[in-house]
Amino acid sequence: MKILERFMDCFIKSLTARKALGVLLGNFFIGIGASGLRLSLMGNDPYTAANMALSEGFHVGLGTYQLTVNIILLIIQLIWGRSYIGFGSIINMCLLGYVIQYATTFIQNTIGDGTGKSFLYQLIYMLISLIILSLGLSMYQVANLGVSPYDYLALGMTEHFKLPYFVNRVITDTFCVLLIVFSVLIGFISWSNSHLGLGTIFAAFCLGPFVNMFNKWNRKWILPDAVTSK
């Protein structure tokens, strides 16, 4: 009964139309931003890069591969972090990989990628993509309807081990990078398909400030009652 009550609280009591829209739009923009980073040829954030690289190595669509990985990570979240599961968790877990997969094809066919372009062009492409990604992350996080199974890993480690959150996030992201590097070294994927690069570094240092920049605006329309009461 307690598990059912928590489920109802996560999916019904705290769910509003504005929050749901924030989650859906947020994941849409996250997918667009991640696709743009991929097509800029400058590198993605570690987790997305790992999913992109390994899905190509296994010759599986990104959406299906990422969903499979998320289901495995969800088992950990169900055991130790059920309170972090909500509407946003399920949307992110099930849909984001497919949004990235199909958005990549659409953007590739309409705008193109960074192939044969100057470094400045690729850099601008990457920065615009990072801004779009940050906008989506802000919407998703402000809605506060649960976190994705991967994002829970660092939160769960912070609860169970005596290390600050940012250290645990570095650990999980570093593991993703090392997994890609190992896959390159054993010949499972090529370095050109690693999706690591300057964009990976920019994502590590710029996502936080960019997300924070959008949070104030997103709170106004996603959580208008909370903003008014302050």
Side-chain angles (χ1 to χ4, degrees):
M1 288 298 294
K2 289 184 178 181
I3 294 177
L4 180 60
E5 289 176 2
R6 288 180 182 177
F7 180 89
M8 296 295 286
D9 181 64
C10 288
F11 286 85
I12 297 179
K13 292 182 180 179
S14 59
L15 185 63
T16 66
R18 288 174 181 265
K19 287 183 177 182
L21 184 60
V23 166
L24 292 170
L25 283 178
N27 277 277
F28 173 76
F29 284 117
I30 291 171
I32 296 294
S35 300
L37 285 176
R38 180 180 191 173
L39 294 172
S40 74
L41 307 182
M42 297 286 279
N44 281 79
D45 67 275
Y47 181 60
T48 304
N51 284 327
M52 288 179 175
L54 295 178
S55 68
E56 291 170 11
F58 284 112
H59 303 289
V60 177
L62 175 62
T64 301
Y65 178 84
Q66 186 159 318
L67 176 59
T68 303
V69 172
N70 282 335
I71 289 174
I72 295 172
L73 295 178
L74 180 64
I75 296 173
I76 298 174
Q77 195 173 3
L78 284 169
I79 296 173
W80 287 292
R82 286 192 296 270
S83 62
Y84 290 95
I85 299 175
F87 176 78
S89 309
I90 303 304
I91 294 298
N92 182 276
M93 181 182 81
C94 297
L95 297 183
L96 182 57
Y98 291 103
V99 173
I100 297 172
Q101 180 178 330
Y102 292 110
T104 298
T105 301
F106 177 78
I107 297 172
Q108 174 81 69
N109 292 335
T110 54
I111 300 176
D113 59 25
T115 303
K117 301 297 196 307
S118 67
F119 174 79
L120 180 60
Y121 179 92
Q122 293 177 337
L123 182 65
I124 293 173
Y125 203 139
M126 178 197 69
L127 290 174
I128 292 174
S129 300
L130 270 177
I131 291 172
I132 295 172
L133 176 61
S134 301
L135 172 63
L137 283 170
S138 173
M139 290 180 181
Y140 174 65
Q141 292 176 9
V142 167
N144 194 27
L145 291 176
V147 300
S148 70
Y150 177 74
D151 289 331
Y152 165 71
L153 289 178
L155 290 169
M157 290 166 64
T158 301
E159 285 188 347
H160 293 87
F161 303 105
K162 296 180 179 179
L163 289 173
Y165 171 78
F166 80 90
V167 173
N168 291 318
R169 184 69 191 213
V170 169
I171 291 173
T172 58
D173 285 350
T174 300
F175 176 80
C176 291
V177 172
L178 292 177
L179 185 60
I180 296 172
V181 172
F182 176 75
S183 299
V184 171
L185 290 176
I186 65 174
F188 184 65
I189 59 172
S190 64
W191 179 255
S192 61
N193 291 329
S194 69
H195 298 285
L196 296 177
L198 186 62
T200 309
I201 299 173
F202 269 73
F205 289 97
C206 296
L207 279 179
F210 284 172
V211 169
N212 188 61
M213 177 180 68
F214 286 115
N215 280 347
K216 185 176 181 180
W217 176 76
N218 282 321
R219 287 193 187 100
K220 288 181 179 179
W221 72 269
I222 296 175
L223 305 172
D225 295 335
V227 173
T228 303
S229 63
K230 288 185 178 181

